[in-house]
Amino acid sequence: MTRYLVTSALPYANGPIHFGHVIGAYLPADVYVRTLRMQGEEALYVCGADEHGVAITIGAERDGIAYPEYVARWRTEIKRTFDRLGLEFDVWSGTSISPFHAELSQDFFRRIDRNGFLVQRETEQLYCTTDRMFLADRYVTGTCPSCGFESARGDECPRCAKWLNPLDFADPRCKVCGTTPERRRTTHWYLDLPKVRDEFLGSWIANHEWKPNVGAFIANQMKEIEPRPITRDMSWGVPLPADTAGDITGKVLYVWFDAPIGYVSFTREWAESKGEPEAWKRWWQDSQTRLVHFIGKDNIPFHCVVFPAMLHATKAGYVLPWQVPANEFYNLQGRKFSTSGGWTIPLDEFFAKFDAQATRFYLLASAPETKDSEFNWKDFQACNNAQLADAIGNLVTRVLKFVDKHYAGHIPACAPEHEAELDRVLLTECGAFGDPAESIRAFRFRRAAEQLIENARVANVFVDRSAPWSLQKTDPARAASVLATCAEWIGYVARWMAPFMPEKAQAIWAMLGQSGSVTARGWPAPPVAGQWRLGLAGSKLGAVAGLFPKIDDATVAAEIAALEERAKQVAAG
RNA sequence: GGCGGUGUAGCUCAGUGGUUAGAGCAGUGGCUUCAUAAGCCACGUGUCGGGGGUUCAAGUCCCUCCACCGCUACCA
């Protein structure tokens, strides 16, 4: 049977994550997995921190703490944010602590080497003797040989936009410490991407169905693909396999090589924790697996080209990505999120004031699926107030409080003589409703959010048309049937909501007097007249209370002012 | 420079070459009172960024120009 192996881009353990990361790669994956499971599919959701690389060593040294301590801090901090948002991974680990990671990364390297997809090259690079490391282009600054701009970056001149090679600087300086680096020769292993392309990857990519914003982009990249270095001169990382390295020391696998292998090693870690050490193979080396990578657009070349090339080059039977639902970028109030620039939302403060479940819904409803989008405070308020509080929250309270008052807190039964007619009115005359799962499976989360609201509105129309408060006086039996029908529909709404807002869905389920988990009831089949009711009649309601507190204008104005103030203070230094 | 994306109603956005281009929000008017002053109904002539072209037919395909954004692969 088909099974779904879902991954979210491994967050880099070098700083806090913001809502842009959350909606780009994590929240959609969580909703996807929850939906699949409610539909009875087998799914595994894997994530963890990416913890190697030079940016981390620089950060740790700046903070004066050991590398492992540094990455542990961010691994924990990032996970805390995920926990607050209700993101549930089956395994959460880190590339520097996962017990299988180093061994498996070396295994990848060895297999790829043995299969003839690695080449060695000697190059000359700038080396900073103060920081004791080779400098990436961006870590070098100097005078542009083209236009004379004195603070050109090693990769590109900000003034004349010319591509640069830092070796061409007459006066190179290390961006970290300001001293002059020296030239050194060094040998590295390169992944022979053109060879993988010609043997397999080119035709695989051409014949694979990609999300529209992914396909054209990577097809074009295949033409200019070049070998990529996969080793690096530093100490923090996975050491080269000793049998390959020989007498060469001081090299580790480059972070972008070992990071995606984390998906596999974390799966092994999960299997081990389940007491089935071999179970990971069922997920990674079985053609029934559908591998889905949720990422931001900056990761497209990596997950659609490089990682598949690595998987193929091992010739170890690994599955390749089935879908890569990459999102575009998510901004904040018209500008890019910038932690260092103060243009961000401090999450501790945010979650002290605002509901994490409502935030999940808003992020999904505004997700950057086809183009960049943004978190906008006024939109957030409108979404919470008009869609969640008014359309869904009020539907629940208006119906259940009515039931509470007139039926002694028990959901009435729908009289058999009313059922066919009420089904017809509800299902065909009160507006269109759709199945959010269809949209979710197509990675259209904004559309699914709309459908959720539309579905709730169907019941609001039904209540208005039926006017049970009048029937109560003229035809009490019919009033009871109407309320019974509304309660049943709310049960559907709760299940449709469950992947988006699991806690709120559960709260509705409890208000309906149902025990157990709402997700245990599974995903609802599209309601069909005569057979859609769950049979809630007779249930004793739980305590009925408002689900979504409203956010007032003053609160929003204060948040916008605080955001601008933060940015201003950072700009002033 | 190269590549990619975006440009549709006041705002945020949907729109698989084919009837008079849609939704939500905001706005206006009416109805209702069960409910978190919530709900329902009605009301949208917008050079679909500009200009060419293909087609019986283009927001939808092609070319070009303009604007904005991103990427450019040793910042992982």
Side-chain angles (χ1 to χ4, degrees):
Chain A
M1 185 182 136
T2 302
R3 68 186 73 85
Y4 293 82
L5 175 54
V6 178
T7 74
S8 287
L10 304 187
Y12 200 48
N14 190 40
I17 55 164
H18 53 63
F19 285 151
H21 300 115
V22 170
I23 190 55
Y26 306 96
L27 188 48
D30 181 72
V31 171
Y32 186 67
V33 170
R34 288 174 186 272
T35 304
L36 290 175
R37 288 196 170 131
M38 283 183 76
Q39 293 193 316
E41 303 276 11
E42 190 181 7
L44 189 71
Y45 184 18
V46 177
C47 197
D50 172 11
E51 305 178 337
H52 294 137
V54 70
I56 279 170
T57 61
I58 290 173
E61 283 161 17
R62 178 198 60 214
D63 292 0
I65 58 176
Y67 304 152
E69 189 186 335
Y70 182 79
V71 297
R73 188 168 88 194
W74 289 117
R75 184 195 310 125
T76 305
E77 172 64 23
I78 290 167
K79 183 60 163 56
R80 205 160 62 90
T81 300
F82 288 157
D83 287 343
R84 281 194 285 213
L85 281 161
L87 299 171
E88 290 183 354
F89 310 113
D90 291 300
V91 54
W92 165 261
S93 189
T95 54
S96 72
I97 55 159
S98 190
F100 303 99
H101 186 68
E103 170 202 324
L104 187 66
S105 299
Q106 292 177 339
D107 180 63
F108 263 68
F109 183 94
R110 237 186 250 109
R111 286 175 184 274
I112 294 170
D113 189 24
R114 191 194 309 151
N115 293 331
F117 292 107
L118 294 187
V119 292
Q120 281 184 63
R121 284 186 185 173
E122 192 186 50
T123 57
E124 192 167 48
Q125 293 184 9
L126 293 174
Y127 181 89
C128 177
T129 51
T130 309
D131 296 315
R132 297 191 313 284
M133 65 178 188
F134 283 91
L135 299 174
D137 292 355
R138 272 283 289 274
Y139 285 105
V140 181
T141 178
T143 301
C144 175
S146 180
C147 72
F149 183 60
E150 63 280 2
S151 301
R153 294 191 328 212
D155 54 347
E156 188 184 64
C157 175
R159 181 192 283 173
C160 68
K162 180 140 180 122
W163 276 29
L164 303 176
N165 180 338
L167 293 171
D168 294 338
F169 284 143
D171 59 342
R173 295 183 301 280
C174 169
K175 215 163 186 176
V176 179
C177 66
T179 60
T180 302
E182 61 180 44
R183 289 164 172 249
R184 280 199 187 178
R185 299 200 71 79
T186 180
T187 299
H188 284 294
W189 279 258
Y190 287 66
L191 177 61
D192 194 346
L193 287 168
K195 184 173 177 182
V196 184
R197 173 195 58 194
D198 295 342
E199 175 181 300
F200 164 77
L201 197 64
S203 61
W204 178 72
I205 283 177
N207 295 318
H208 201 80
E209 288 224 7
W210 303 98
K211 204 182 161 201
N213 64 334
V214 173
F217 186 67
I218 57 173
N220 184 62
Q221 294 215 322
M222 294 310 286
K223 298 176 205 147
E224 302 173 14
I225 204 162
E226 283 180 32
R228 283 179 69 143
I230 61 166
T231 55
R232 178 101 183 170
D233 294 289
M234 62 185 296
S235 62
W236 178 241
V238 175
L240 249 69
D243 48 339
T244 307
D247 56 353
I248 296 176
T249 58
K251 291 192 195 292
V252 296
L253 298 181
Y254 204 40
V255 60
W256 65 252
F257 183 83
D258 87 75
I261 296 170
Y263 296 141
V264 188
S265 39
F266 299 165
T267 307
R268 279 183 77 170
E269 189 176 342
W270 166 84
E272 189 81 11
S273 74
K274 293 282 172 192
E276 304 171 54
E278 298 300 304
W280 69 276
K281 292 180 181 169
R282 208 162 54 84
W283 290 94
W284 278 98
Q285 299 178 329
D286 183 314
S287 62
Q288 292 295 296
T289 295
R290 289 180 168 177
L291 173 59
V292 183
H293 291 306
F294 282 85
I295 57 171
K297 68 175 167 186
D298 51 330
N299 260 322
I300 289 172
F302 205 81
H303 285 75
C304 298
V305 177
V306 181
F307 188 45
M310 289 165 57
L311 291 166
H312 169 80
T314 62
K315 307 252 171 155
Y318 284 107
V319 297
L320 297 178
W322 174 64
Q323 284 290 319
V324 182
N327 275 311
E328 302 293 302
F329 283 156
Y330 198 64
N331 297 315
L332 170 60
Q333 205 84 11
R335 288 158 55 179
K336 285 171 78 165
F337 273 93
S338 169
T339 304
S340 57
W343 198 254
T344 186
I345 300 173
L347 294 179
D348 280 324
E349 292 173 35
F350 182 88
F351 286 116
K353 293 179 217 163
F354 303 101
D355 187 305
Q357 299 276 302
T359 303
R360 280 174 69 105
F361 182 87
Y362 174 66
L363 293 175
L364 290 156
S366 61
E369 282 170 8
T370 57
K371 59 181 167 186
D372 291 1
S373 61
E374 66 174 34
F375 182 101
N376 177 288
W377 277 103
K378 287 186 176 172
D379 276 354
F380 174 63
Q381 177 196 25
C383 175
N384 180 79
N385 293 1
Q387 302 204 285
L388 297 180
D390 293 349
I392 293 181
N394 182 60
L395 168 68
V396 174
T397 47
R398 76 188 295 204
V399 170
L400 298 190
K401 284 192 177 178
F402 196 100
V403 169
D404 212 17
K405 195 193 291 183
H406 295 283
Y407 303 93
H410 288 76
I411 297 174
C414 180
E417 65 269 30
H418 295 143
E419 187 176 328
E421 186 214 340
L422 293 181
D423 279 2
R424 180 179 55 75
V425 172
L426 176 71
L427 300 175
T428 68
E429 295 179 9
C430 292
F433 55 88
D435 184 353
E438 285 182 14
S439 301
I440 290 166
R441 293 181 81 122
F443 309 110
R444 297 189 54 182
F445 298 92
R446 297 174 72 117
R447 177 66 191 133
E450 279 177 25
Q451 287 174 312
L452 193 50
I453 301 301
E454 285 168 3
N455 292 356
R457 288 203 160 118
V458 167
N460 273 328
V461 174
F462 180 76
V463 172
D464 266 57
R465 282 177 161 235
S466 311
W469 48 91
S470 301
L471 289 175
Q472 195 63 29
K473 295 163 192 147
T474 59
D475 187 351
R478 189 177 169 79
S481 293
V482 165
L483 268 302
T485 303
C486 290
E488 290 282 0
W489 191 259
I490 289 172
Y492 265 64
V493 170
R495 291 195 291 162
W496 280 321
M497 271 172 71
F500 271 56
M501 295 175 283
E503 289 177 20
K504 296 297 182 186
Q506 188 59 40
I508 294 175
W509 201 240
M511 286 184 207
L512 287 168
Q514 305 306 300
S515 59
S517 165
V518 63
T519 58
R521 279 311 271 263
W523 190 258
V528 172
Q531 32 182 284
W532 65 281
R533 293 161 192 267
L534 286 172
L536 302 182
S539 296
K540 169 113 178 57
L541 296 186
V544 176
L547 283 167
F548 298 100
K550 293 221 178 178
I551 300 169
D552 61 39
D553 293 347
T555 301
V556 166
E559 291 297 333
I560 295 172
L563 172 65
E564 281 163 1
E565 183 58 26
R566 256 196 315 277
K568 204 187 298 175
Q569 286 190 356
V570 170

